[in-house]
Amino acid sequence: MDSLQNLPPLSTLSTSVSSALNAKLGTNRDLTQAPSIVAEFLTQCDDLERNLVHLNRTLESNLASYASFSNRIGHLFGIVNSKLTDLGSSVCLRSSVSEYWFYLILFLCGNFCVIDGEGLGEELPSLAKEVARVEAVRAYAEVASKLDNLIGDIEDAVSSTMNKNLRKDSSAQNSEETRMVAIKTLKVTEDLLTSVTKARPQWARLVSAVDHRVDRALAILRPQAIADHRALLTSFGWPPSLSNLTSSSLDARKSSEVPNPLFTMHGDLKRRYCENFFALCRLQELQRQRKSRQLEGHNREVALHQPLWAIEELVIPVSVACQRHFSKWIDKPEFIFALVYKITRDYVDSMDELLQPLVDEAMLTGYSCKEEWISAMVTSLSTYLAKEIFPIYIGQLEEESVTGIRSQARTSWLHLIDLMVSFDNRIKPLVEQSGILLSLLEDGTPRKISSLSVFCDRPDWLDMWAEIELDDAMEKLKPEIDEERNWTKKVQGADLSNSDDYKSPAVSSITFTCLSSLIERCRLLPTVSLRSRFLRLTSTPVIKFFLDCLLLRCQEAEGLTALTDDDALIKVSNSVNAAHYSESILKEWCEDVFFLEMGLDQGEHPGESVAENIGSEVPIEEYGNGIFHEEIVKFEDFRTQWVEKITIVILRGFDARCRDYIKNRRQWQEKSEEGWTVSQTLIGALDYLQAKMAVIEENLNRVDFAGIWRSLAAGVDKLIFNGILMSNVKFHEEGVERFGYDVEVVWGVFRAWCLRPEGFFPKVSESLKLLKMEKDQLEDSLKGGQKRMKENGIRHLSVAEVEKIGKNRVYTK
């Protein structure tokens, strides 16, 4: 009862505790279980306390993590706030940006108040995307604002320049300074556009819009600069006066009467000209930079190279002044070339001394004032020739073709080409002395500075020129070919290092002198394709004509005597020598770089390049064989054909003269006639063979003669082997000895051209070796087969042939 009195009053217990006690202690009997119930409650209390401690620790850890994360988010908010504040100040929208930032913070704070740790992790990617978008908008607005300000400055400077030009009392110095400000601003704008194009390619519309406005500004700025430049040129007396020049003074080294205005100007005028020249160069470099950016990924080098604007402005008034003189010299074109050369030469030094430093200062890379001056003068000459001179000659040629009356048009045309070639040869040293390359990039290929560039735009004129050159060359060549002395006289001089070995008639040297002249005419053509086309239209017909002449002479000799007399052999030999000489010359030419370039330019049509012919059916392996590859092959075929014919004719004559010798089957069973070591019936055939070989050796070149005597040796070997050894002739001991003497004599004929002639008679020499074997050795060879035969030195006879020879060998012992 005392313990019950210590219990708290029932009213102080919670409902859950009262319910638990009522469930456990419903009856008096349940009171006996009170100790176990107390123990159960104590255990539950301990578990609850442990859970409480674990929860407290977990809560502390989470609070610490949340505090760290909250600090990082607060730092990010600070950065965003700073960026948006800068954005608001840059576009004068501070109130809008601040309001956007306020609502953004409220939105984010509201979300953070209602989400737990996992929800916060899910919102972070979207927050990052939003921040990146805001940053992109800020960067775009900043760049757009900067570009807008720059374009505004450019347009203001251009407008100011226009207004000053309209006001006559405005200072030229102020106008030039304003133009330079515009150019510098354009440079800054272009640098910014270049960086935007590389870093932000998705902003293409912004770049395009800016380019459009820059183009409009440049469309005003460049003509103004050029107009001011022309006014300055006029003010200091450019172009120099040409009125005191006469035809006799055109060849003078220097013109003392006319000083160089570029050197005589001084003071403020010189300063203004240099500033204007520099401004033009800066404008051109800026234009190149813009084109380079706009053509990124394309063949930029082709489009970027343009003539130097400032040098063009020097050449244009000179060209106009010259043309007033040119019109008086239509019938004397040599004066036109002399005047252009004199002006080009007299003023080329001033380009390097005065103007080149300004080009270098403007950082206009890849330009030489000397080269630009020479190129522009030559181009102006070519343009005048194309517009005024060539049309006159074309009209005369067309009239000649209609009326059929021969005029001086062709002679005038050739004379004009002579003048152009001579002019180019005189211009070439001027360029080489400058230390610059003799080429300009055009259409991606090297293009020489040449007055012959007039044919680049008019390939039909090139064809006409080639036709005239071909007619002229053929008129000169035909009389030389018809002259019989040129076929009997040998080549004099050293066209080749071993010209004596060719024994070529003089007509071949004359023909190739004509070809060399045609090649030299086209050597200065500005492009490889033009040179290739010209050569195919001129040289190829000449070579074909010469080859046809060789063939005709050989056919005439063959038709008259079937090549049986010595004169016919000599005539054919001379033609073969000429073909061999021609083939060697063409091969030597094709190893030169000049012809190698044209060999790579081969196509199905003259002048067509490999690149243009990629889609055709011609295998690419056939290119690069040389421009004269087909002609070389034809000469080779011609030589092979007629060398073979000479061999066949001599073999037939030998066969006819030794027919009795071959048919005499009894002589191999008898002793030799007393006093004779060789059969008398063979002597006539050997005399014939020796005489013909002497004629051929004297008149034919070494290479083809070597081919003939080797072919003859093979033919004689075959004739004797088949006619005697394979004809079932019985050989006695005396016949073998007699046959050996005869064969030694035959070999002696060929011993003049080789040390071991028996090597060129493999079947006869091995057959003689078999006949000289003892009976046992011969039988052993027959039984041993191919292996045994090789051991005995028999390599060119088959087993059947050895057996046949062995059966026909008669042993008396």
Side-chain angles (χ1 to χ4, degrees), residues 700-717:
L700 193 62
N701 65 83
R702 293 182 182 180
V703 175
D704 290 318
F705 175 72
I708 286 180
W709 74 254
R710 291 181 182 184
S711 298
L712 285 174
V716 172
D717 179 59

Side-chain angles (χ1 to χ4, degrees), residues 543-558:
I543 295 173
K544 183 179 181 301
F545 171 74
F546 182 58
L547 184 58
D548 290 342
C549 291
L550 298 180
L551 180 61
L552 180 61
R553 290 180 64 84
C554 291
Q555 289 174 341
E556 288 177 351
E558 183 183 31

Side-chain angles (χ1 to χ4, degrees), residues 739-764:
F739 182 71
Y741 289 147
D742 292 347
V743 169
E744 284 291 340
V745 174
V746 172
W747 290 346
V749 174
F750 293 89
R751 190 165 277 114
W753 309 298
C754 61
L755 296 177
R756 293 183 65 256
E758 59 270 19
F760 296 92
F761 294 80
K763 289 185 175 293
V764 171

